[in-house]
Amino acid sequence: MRLIFEKSQPGRRGGELPRPDVPPAEVPADLRRSRPPRLPELAEPEILRHFTELSTRNFGIDTGFYPLGSCTMKYNPRVNERLVMLPGFRDLHPYQDEDGSQGALELMWRLQEALIEISGLHACSLQPAAGSQGELTGLMLMRAYFADRGEADQRDTIVTADTAHGTNPASVTMAGYKLAKVETDARGNVDVAHLREMVNERTAGLMLTNPSTLGLFDEHIEEIATIFHEVGALLYYDGANLNAVCGISRPGDMGFDIVHINLHKTFSQPHGGGGPGGGPIVVRETLEPYLPGPAVTKVGDAYRLDHDRPKSIGKVRGYTGPFGVFVRSYAYIRSYGPGLREMSETAVLNANYLLARLKDAYDLPFDRLCMHEFVLSARSLKREHGISALDVAKRLMDYGFHPPTIYFPLVVPEALMIEPTETEAKETLDAFVDAMIAIAREAEDDPEVIKGAPHGRPVRRLDEVKAAKRAVVKYGFEDHVGLAGDPAEPRQLEAQKGA
Ligand SMILES: *Cc1c(COP(=O)(O)O)cnc(C)c1O
């Protein structure tokens, strides 16, 4: 496929605007550009076809099953897009005063209340823009809390699990804490004996997701919470896996003090291309004074932004947070009403259905009932037929499925981490099982067809080492658009394609 710049023909135009019937505004000479912008010149149908064709090369939740573990790629109800586009929401300016934005503030307040109830805690800030930013914010809250108690210097370590998402250790380091990693035991729980050895008065807290990235609910979570609380430390709940437990169990009841909620995962949001997301945090009463401001409060019948927070760690995001994300997530929660539990129960049921049907064809490192996701291993396929988790993932594309997450969590070799979510029909799950089983059979009968996969996608296998170490992400179109550029191997990406 050619770039739109390569399709450009000098003088070609789409629609023409009528000549203005008012005098043109005088743009000061020093603000005027000296050359016209170098834009592609095409007729309107060519532009439309160009972008429509490009869009067909994308894989998204709207084109097929997307069982990307840990990412909760559920269907995004179209009605929520309509709600975001309501003029009262869409046209609101961030500087609109409080009296003129009561509806938006009410929605934010109601969302806060829903998240507080779902997490079993006390106060909420909608500010953080993603789970990872929620983590950093939560750790800053911990520091502020300990500083207030004169313990900030004494407490310098945060414990994470060896199954943790990469953002956990990154946030801990960014927040200036030392990292201690607790191991996973043979049943896939946190190794409590190991934990006891590492927790002491220098510990500031724990950061844990439950269910874990293995899709397993920790059977000792209350004991773990006690170990930390006994030394005065705090527990942070990485809420990325909340889709497993909504309305069933609450992080606050498990003993956690701070929670982030990935709105884009649990409460639907078109995501996967880098946002927009939302990572509100919810905290216990003792931590409320430190929350980022402004908080949305209800005073009588009115909704207000409360800036009067002397102990607040300050703002962590511009304005009041990602508002469109709030609208969609609030709508998603309300569409279930008091039956939100059904969302999680269906997600868990779907995952266990897949697990039961796949566990004979692949290795299952932890043979337990799973929560909303589970982790298989391609260990035997690799040993016996030379087929790796990566090979399985690539071959799945030929069967029309987005691959699961692979090589994560790190404690499982050749990991395939599968999360179906609650929005998939049984027929879709069955088709995915059929594809996975067919691939396991191909590994025996025709391993070469897997190693050469994908065969039917626009891009085949890239040289992954080269792509990571010497990434050239621009296409060789300097000649067409006259961009001065580094001439080094402009067509490398092309050359890296398998076909
Ligand atoms: C997605 C995820 C995160 C990070 O959340 P973002 O919203 O992507 O920043 C943290 N932990 C786990 C377990 C996750 O799956």
Side-chain angles (χ1 to χ4, degrees):
M1 171 160 187
R2 290 184 303 152
L3 293 179
I4 196 165
F5 287 95
E6 293 173 308
K7 296 177 181 171
S8 174
Q9 296 294 332
R12 196 65 58 82
R13 286 286 177 278
E16 294 275 349
L17 293 176
R19 294 215 148 271
D21 56 1
V22 291
E26 272 306 312
V27 179
D30 58 333
L31 293 181
R32 268 184 249 155
R33 57 188 316 151
S34 53
R35 289 182 299 162
R38 295 182 185 186
L39 297 173
E41 298 174 83
L42 287 91
E44 192 171 319
E46 304 306 322
I47 299 171
L48 186 80
R49 285 176 194 149
H50 179 79
F51 286 108
T52 303
E53 193 196 335
L54 272 184
S55 74
T56 64
R57 298 186 172 215
N58 253 343
F59 191 98
I61 190 69
D62 293 347
T63 49
F65 185 44
Y66 205 140
L68 193 66
S70 215
C71 297
T72 314
M73 306 302 288
K74 60 176 72 176
Y75 172 69
N76 303 293
R78 285 302 179 274
V79 64
N80 294 355
E81 302 305 316
R82 295 271 298 268
L83 298 175
V84 174
M85 294 305 269
L86 288 174
F89 290 148
R90 185 192 58 200
D91 300 340
L92 206 56
H93 192 275
Y95 284 130
Q96 179 75 42
D97 64 19
E98 290 172 21
D99 287 337
S101 50
Q102 283 294 297
L105 291 177
E106 178 175 356
L107 183 137
M108 290 170 68
W109 183 82
R110 286 174 175 270
L111 179 61
Q112 287 178 180
E113 292 296 300
L115 299 180
I116 287 168
E117 185 175 334
I118 288 165
S119 50
L121 288 163
H122 176 76
C124 176
S125 167
L126 297 175
Q127 278 228 337
S132 44
Q133 202 190 8
E135 292 170 21
L136 182 63
T137 308
L139 293 166
M140 289 162 71
L141 292 188
M142 284 195 192
R143 188 177 289 287
Y145 168 85
F146 287 122
D148 234 3
R149 303 163 72 92
E151 297 177 21
D153 294 337
Q154 173 199 326
R155 302 206 180 251
D156 60 3
T157 306
I158 299 280
V159 179
T160 64
D162 59 1
T163 50
H165 192 271
T167 52
N168 290 186
S171 300
V172 169
T173 307
M174 278 179 75
Y177 281 109
K178 286 185 200 154
L179 184 69
K181 261 191 200 167
V182 63
E183 285 167 12
T184 297
D185 72 14
R187 273 185 65 75
N189 296 314
V190 165
D191 185 334
V192 174
H194 185 216
L195 190 67
R196 283 192 189 281
E197 284 169 24
M198 61 184 12
V199 175
N200 54 45
E201 324 69 59
R202 297 209 65 84
T203 309
L206 170 75
M207 181 174 278
L208 191 73
T209 175
N210 190 30
S212 69
T213 59
L214 292 165
L216 301 174
F217 193 91
D218 200 296
E219 294 163 309
H220 312 122
I221 192 61
E222 286 171 317
E223 189 183 348
I224 291 169
T226 305
I227 292 172
F228 281 87
H229 285 155
E230 269 175 4
V231 297
L234 298 169
L235 285 89
Y236 182 96
Y237 182 87
D238 171 345
N241 294 333
L242 198 68
N243 210 46
V245 297
C246 279
I248 303 168
S249 64
R250 307 190 299 175
D253 299 337
M254 298 175 207
F256 288 91
D257 305 291
I258 311 172
V259 170
H260 83 241
I261 296 171
N262 306 62
L263 293 179
H264 45 292
K265 294 181 180 174
T266 309
F267 299 122
S268 96
Q269 206 75 228
H271 71 291
I281 53 171
V282 195
V283 300
R284 227 176 258 297
E285 213 159 352
T286 42
L287 288 147
E288 182 178 11
Y290 314 105
L291 280 178
V296 184
T297 56
K298 189 174 182 190
V299 185
D301 285 338
Y303 299 90
R304 298 286 166 219
L305 288 172
D306 178 13
H307 293 273
D308 182 22
R309 306 188 141 239
K311 291 191 171 183
S312 164
I313 61 164
K315 285 175 80 69
V316 297
R317 192 192 191 281
Y319 305 107
T320 44
F323 185 72
V325 175
F326 301 156
V327 176
R328 294 188 192 90
S329 291
Y330 181 66
Y332 201 81
I333 293 170
R334 288 304 300 264
S335 70
Y336 277 96
L340 192 59
R341 180 187 180 109
E342 193 188 322
M343 169 186 92
S344 291
E345 284 175 345
T346 312
V348 171
L349 181 65
N350 280 355
N352 276 289
Y353 178 70
L354 287 185
L355 173 62
R357 290 207 55 201
L358 287 172
K359 71 182 197 179
D360 293 335
Y362 292 83
D363 296 293
L364 178 62
F366 299 98
D367 193 358
R368 282 168 55 182
L369 275 183
C370 68
M371 298 295 287
H372 67 309
E373 66 188 0
F374 59 97
V375 179
L376 297 173
S377 168
R379 198 166 25 189
S380 300
L381 288 192
K382 183 154 190 205
R383 192 178 51 236
E384 289 159 25
H385 312 293
I387 295 300
S388 65
L390 178 77
D391 294 324
V392 173
K394 298 288 187 195
R395 185 64 175 144
L396 267 172
M397 296 183 197
D398 287 334
Y399 284 91
F401 296 105
H402 193 285
T405 297
I406 53 173
Y407 299 106
F408 178 76
L410 304 176
V411 297
V412 174
E414 299 299 324
L416 293 154
M417 183 200 220
I418 299 168
E419 178 180 8
T421 83
E422 72 278 12
T423 56
E424 297 300 332
K426 179 169 177 293
E427 294 72 28
T428 305
L429 302 181
D430 285 333
F432 177 72
V433 168
D434 291 346
M436 286 290 284
I437 291 175
I439 293 170
R441 267 201 213 108
E442 283 174 347
E444 286 179 38
D445 305 339
D446 191 5
E448 291 311 312
V449 77
I450 304 182
K451 286 182 191 159
H455 300 277
R457 306 302 306 173
V459 176
R460 297 184 65 180
R461 287 207 202 188
L462 302 177
D463 177 338
E464 305 220 341
V465 175
K466 217 173 172 188
K469 299 260 181 206
R470 298 191 56 203
V472 177
V473 290
K474 67 178 192 291
Y475 183 80
F477 64 98
E478 293 83 356
D479 300 345
H480 299 269
V481 292
L483 287 180
D486 171 11
E489 300 177 86
R491 297 203 177 259
Q492 185 179 331
L493 192 63
E494 284 286 289
Q496 284 174 13
K497 291 178 187 173

